[in-house]
Amino acid sequence: MVMRVLKSFILLLLFISYNALADDQNSSLINADKSVYINLLKTIKESKVSNDEIALQKVLLEKLINTIPSTVTNITLSVPTNVDEYNALFNRYIDDTLKKDSLTKKIQSIDTKIKSLTKEIKSLENNNSSERTLELQSALYTKSFLEYKDQNEMMVNEILSIDKMLNESLKSITFDSENLPKKTVMAQDEALKLRATIDNFLVKKERFELLGDTHDKGISTAAINTKEDAYNKAVRATITSLFSEFSDALKSKNKKVFVLEKNILDAVSSLENAKVIQESIATLLHNMEKNYFGTIDTLKGSTVQEFKNILKMSWNIMSEPIFTVNGSPISMLKMILALFVFLIGIFGGGFYKTSIKRMTHNSKSINLATRTILSNIGYYVIVITAFFVALNVMGIDLSSIALVAGALSVGIGFGLQNIVSNFVSGIILMFERSIKIGDFVELSDTLRGHVSDIRMRSTTLNTNGNIDVIVPNRNFIEGNVINWTMHDKLKRFDIPFGVAYGTKPEHVIAVIIEAVAKSGYPDILSTRDKYTNVIMTGMGSSSVDFALQVWIHGEEILAPSKTISRFLIIIYNTLYANGIEIPFPQHDLHLKSIDENVHLSLLSSIETKDKEAMIKD
């Protein structure tokens, strides 16, 4: 046991001495040279310390020692002198773009790892055994980072050189303008055939796998990969041929270059990492266009082509079905057109409504009620027609409306019955004409007014206080409605009043009729069968009850409260002038017997009150 402890102690001392030696050699392993790594590895091996941490350090040191410094040399590119060399240089441009993208991703990944290791090293305590391992790992990453960075810079320079060479060599390259389009079509057809073959292989392979058939039957993964490679080559051939067409058109300053540019970028979309290649090729093509057309014409041509592309893309997106209704595909375009048709119907209905009211405003043969009915019915017919036309535009079969009607009937049963009831009531009111625009109607003691509008769901009443009250149409059909002006503006007002008992009824009737006759109001009607009268209506508990019956014609009947007030004032002043008492509610108390002490107390109380009254006087 003692020997084991002693051995461990000796190993610990050796490890500490190794770390101290390493710190003396170089304070930072990240930027150390090759000799530092060799000395550290030698020290670790001599110490004969063995654990996972030391084993990892040995591996890292060996990798750092064997790492060959990056020696990036720029490859000299030759200026193309014919079409083949010109196209080869263009393909080199695409390959360099892909290499640059790959290097950029590696650089970003390694940079993230270095930052993570740096944070981890800073968080460690001093003399932590893991610190040396992390520094060695960070050093290895840093060397890779620098190497990839140098390679990336070389790719950038090479891409710029190719761009320049393609622009400069275009003037001296001769293209076969006649056969280029044919070559492009052939390459496109080849790519399409290979794509169809690959898709067919994939479907069959999946079908065989579902059936448990392990035999490849000529459609193994290797065969599919071979076809994929052939397909990529065919796509590259298409892009190259299109680029030749583009260059030929550019050389002759033909505006077709902007369409060809679009075709090239579309063809690139079939390749892997299409977005990266598209951005790089778009830069190349724009630079070439600027050299031949100038900046303004290039921007103009690109803008026009881009506008066309946007329109085409928008049209395709809007024409794409979003959902289906009863088997009919509904796209955004159909929905917009249907909405446009429906809005035309609404505005057309509003225009019709306004036109009818304007044309019939001064007509003597068409009254206000008829004008309102014509405008409202026409408006709803136009709107409903526009609604069905909009459904037809959307591609919905109108014969399937029965399904909608069935669903609607269920909705009516659960909550729409009031709306439908008001709708039907509105139609009845319009055609029956028991209530017309301008009529003065009374629905209750507190609700009366002129009918200002009749709609399909509700009717608007304007009260004498100029308050618009919207009343559901069903209230006019289901309830009792008093129409004061249905046939004429003539109404009998019955105005009740009372006098005290002991007054002769004949005297009361005579003075009231005389007072009304002398009032001089021109709206009081007096004919053989319609005349002013006063009748006795009963003997109440406090008064003898009478009622003044007076016939009124004209606009005053539309202000019943005002009219009644007018005649109540006449009755009051007439009774007062003739000394006729107007009673108030009273009750007589009859006592059959009373206790003697109570009687004396009451007498004493009465005498006391009389004395107090005399003193005050």
Side-chain angles (χ1 to χ4, degrees):
M1 180 69 179
V2 176
M3 290 299 293
R4 186 181 298 174
V5 173
L6 183 61
K7 186 178 180 180
S8 299
F9 182 73
I10 292 169
L11 290 172
L12 180 62
L13 286 175
L14 288 171
F15 184 75
I16 292 172
S17 65
Y18 150 70
N19 284 330
L21 178 62
D23 288 333
D24 290 337
Q25 288 174 334
N26 198 327
S27 59
S28 176
L29 291 175
I30 294 175
N31 298 317
D33 56 20
K34 192 173 182 178
S35 61
V36 174
Y37 302 137
I38 293 172
N39 291 333
L40 287 176
L41 181 60
K42 183 179 178 182
T43 304
I44 291 175
K45 289 180 178 179
E46 289 176 353
S47 67
K48 296 183 179 180
V49 178
S50 179
N51 55 41
D52 292 341
E53 200 76 37
I54 297 299
L56 182 56
Q57 289 180 11
K58 287 180 181 180
V59 173
L60 291 170
L61 285 167
E62 288 174 355
K63 283 183 174 292
L64 286 167
I65 292 167
N66 295 325
T67 299
I68 301 172
S70 176
T71 54
V72 179
T73 56
N74 292 325
I75 301 173
T76 304
L77 298 170
S78 58
V79 178
T81 57
N82 54 54
V83 175
D84 293 337
E85 292 178 0
Y86 184 81
N87 290 338
L89 192 61
F90 173 69
N91 279 284
R92 178 68 175 269
Y93 181 90
I94 297 175
D95 294 334
D96 285 355
T97 298
L98 293 173
K99 289 177 184 177
K100 177 183 172 295
D101 180 63
S102 176
L103 289 168
T104 302
K105 290 177 180 176
K106 288 179 180 179
I107 291 170
Q108 291 173 349
S109 175
I110 292 174
D111 184 56
T112 303
K113 292 176 182 178
I114 292 173
K115 289 178 181 177
S116 177
L117 284 170
T118 304
K119 288 182 181 178
E120 193 173 352
I121 291 170
K122 289 180 179 179
S123 65
L124 294 176
E125 297 178 358
N126 293 331
N127 299 323
N128 192 305
S129 60
S130 299
E131 183 177 359
R132 183 70 64 219
T133 305
L134 295 175
E135 287 180 350
L136 290 171
Q137 191 175 2
S138 181
L140 187 62
Y141 284 152
T142 301
K143 290 187 179 296
S144 299
F145 178 84
L146 295 173
E147 183 179 353
Y148 290 143
K149 190 174 181 183
D150 291 341
Q151 293 178 12
N152 188 63
E153 289 177 0
M154 186 198 74
M155 285 294 110
V156 172
N157 293 330
E158 189 170 310
I159 288 170
L160 292 174
S161 298
I162 294 173
D163 189 328
K164 186 177 180 182
M165 284 183 182
L166 289 171
N167 276 285
E168 291 177 350
S169 63
L170 180 57
K171 296 178 182 178
S172 60
I173 302 296
T174 303
F175 297 94
D176 187 359
S177 304
E178 242 181 78
N179 293 320
L180 275 177
K182 298 177 183 178
K183 189 176 179 181
T184 301
V185 172
M186 287 175 63
Q188 287 175 336
D189 291 342
E190 180 66 19
L192 289 172
K193 288 177 184 177
L194 287 167
R195 185 71 261 170
T197 303
I198 293 168
D199 293 339
N200 188 31
F201 276 14
L202 291 172
V203 171
K204 285 183 178 180
K205 188 173 183 294
E206 184 176 353
R207 186 163 67 241
F208 291 146
E209 287 175 353
L210 290 172
L211 294 172
D213 193 345
T214 57
H215 298 86
D216 57 49
K217 295 184 179 179
I219 53 173
S220 62
T221 304
I224 293 174
N225 291 337
T226 302
K227 292 292 183 183
E228 287 281 2
D229 292 339
Y231 169 73
N232 289 330
K233 289 180 181 178
V235 173
R236 286 285 286 266
T238 302
I239 296 168
T240 304
S241 183
L242 285 169
F243 179 69
S244 295
E245 284 192 66
F246 170 87
S247 301
D248 186 37
L250 188 63
K251 191 176 179 180
S252 59
K253 294 186 178 182
N254 190 330
K255 297 289 185 180
K256 189 174 68 172
V257 293
F258 299 108
V259 177
L260 289 168
E261 177 188 353
K262 169 69 169 50
N263 294 339
I264 291 170
L265 297 177
D266 287 344
V268 171
S269 63
S270 302
L271 295 174
E272 193 176 353
N273 296 322
K275 187 176 180 181
V276 176
I277 301 174
Q278 280 177 332
E279 290 177 358
S280 182
I281 290 181
T283 302
L284 171 64
L285 300 181
H286 287 164
N287 290 336
M288 296 177 74
E289 288 165 358
K290 286 178 186 176
N291 288 337
Y292 276 82
F293 286 109
T295 304
I296 296 176
D297 287 342
T298 300
L299 288 174
K300 191 186 297 182
S302 298
T303 303
V304 171
Q305 184 60 36
E306 192 65 27
F307 181 69
K308 291 179 180 178
N309 295 339
I310 291 171
L311 285 178
K312 185 177 180 181
M313 184 176 64
S314 302
W315 181 268
N316 292 334
I317 292 173
M318 293 173 66
S319 300
E320 191 71 22
I322 302 173
F323 56 89
T324 58
V325 176
N326 197 27
S328 301
I330 306 299
S331 63
M332 189 183 296
L333 179 63
K334 288 184 177 180
M335 292 174 65
I336 292 173
L337 290 175
L339 179 62
F340 180 71
V341 170
F342 187 64
L343 289 176
I344 288 177
I346 291 176
F347 287 116
F351 177 75
Y352 165 82
K353 197 172 185 178
T354 305
S355 300
I356 288 294
K357 288 182 177 180
R358 186 175 61 251
M359 288 188 296
T360 59
H361 181 69
N362 297 321
S363 176
K364 295 181 180 179
S365 59
I366 301 176
N367 56 27
L368 179 62
T370 304
R371 182 168 70 240
T372 303
I373 291 172
L374 288 174
S375 61
N376 285 343
I377 291 178
Y379 173 79
Y380 287 114
V381 167
I382 293 172
V383 170
I384 292 171
T385 303
F387 174 73
F388 284 108
V389 172
L391 290 179
N392 194 29
V393 169
M394 289 179 67
I396 298 176
D397 187 4
L398 297 181
S399 62
S400 62
I401 296 299
L403 298 174
V404 179
L408 187 62
S409 63
V410 175
I412 293 170
F414 284 99
L416 299 180
Q417 64 269 31
N418 289 337
I419 296 175
V420 174
S421 176
N422 289 322
F423 181 81
V424 174
S425 299
I427 295 175
I428 293 172
L429 289 176
M430 287 182 181
F431 284 98
E432 191 180 61
R433 301 186 64 186
S434 57
I435 305 291
K436 303 181 296 297
I437 303 295
D439 283 356
F440 189 82
V441 297
E442 179 178 343
L443 276 75
S444 65
D445 294 338
T446 58
L447 181 58
R448 63 171 72 96
H450 291 88
V451 177
S452 59
D453 193 11
I454 300 176
R455 296 186 178 91
M456 300 301 284
R457 189 195 66 83
S458 61
T459 297
T460 303
L461 296 184
N462 184 260
T463 66
N464 289 339
N466 198 30
I467 298 172
D468 288 322
V469 181
I470 298 173
V471 183
N473 287 331
R474 60 183 296 184
N475 290 8
F476 293 91
I477 301 298
E478 298 176 357
N480 295 327
V481 181
I482 299 174
N483 190 339
W484 288 35
T485 55
M486 186 170 182
H487 299 297
D488 51 32
K489 292 184 179 180
L490 176 64
K491 185 180 184 299
R492 191 187 73 183
F493 283 84
D494 292 348
I495 305 166
F497 65 95
V499 299
Y501 278 96
T503 307
K504 289 186 177 181
E506 294 82 359
H507 179 58
V508 171
I509 292 171
V511 296
I512 294 298
I513 291 176
E514 183 182 359
V516 171
K518 290 180 179 179
S519 64
Y521 290 120
D523 55 348
I524 299 175
L525 183 67
S526 181
T527 62
R528 197 168 105 185
D529 55 344
K530 292 179 176 63
Y531 52 87
T532 302
N533 193 21
V534 177
I535 61 173
M536 181 175 173
T537 59
M539 294 180 288
S541 58
S542 302
S543 64
V544 179
D545 299 325
F546 292 87
L548 169 62
Q549 296 177 337
V550 58
W551 289 89
I552 303 296
H553 65 90
E555 297 297 327
E556 291 297 324
I557 69 167
L558 305 181
S561 299
K562 178 182 175 182
T563 303
I564 291 173
S565 172
R566 186 179 15 146
F567 287 102
L568 283 174
I569 292 171
I570 292 174
I571 292 170
Y572 180 85
N573 290 334
T574 301
L575 294 177
Y576 182 79
N578 287 274
I580 300 172
E581 183 181 355
I582 302 173
F584 51 85
Q586 59 185 355
H587 295 281
D588 293 333
L589 180 65
H590 298 277
L591 299 177
K592 291 184 177 180
S593 62
I594 188 170
D595 187 83
E596 186 176 351
N597 294 329
V598 175
H599 179 69
L600 293 174
S601 177
L602 287 171
L603 290 175
S604 176
S605 175
I606 292 170
E607 290 177 358
T608 302
K609 288 181 179 180
D610 291 341
K611 289 178 181 180
E612 290 176 354
M614 291 174 65
I615 292 171
K616 287 180 181 180
D617 293 339

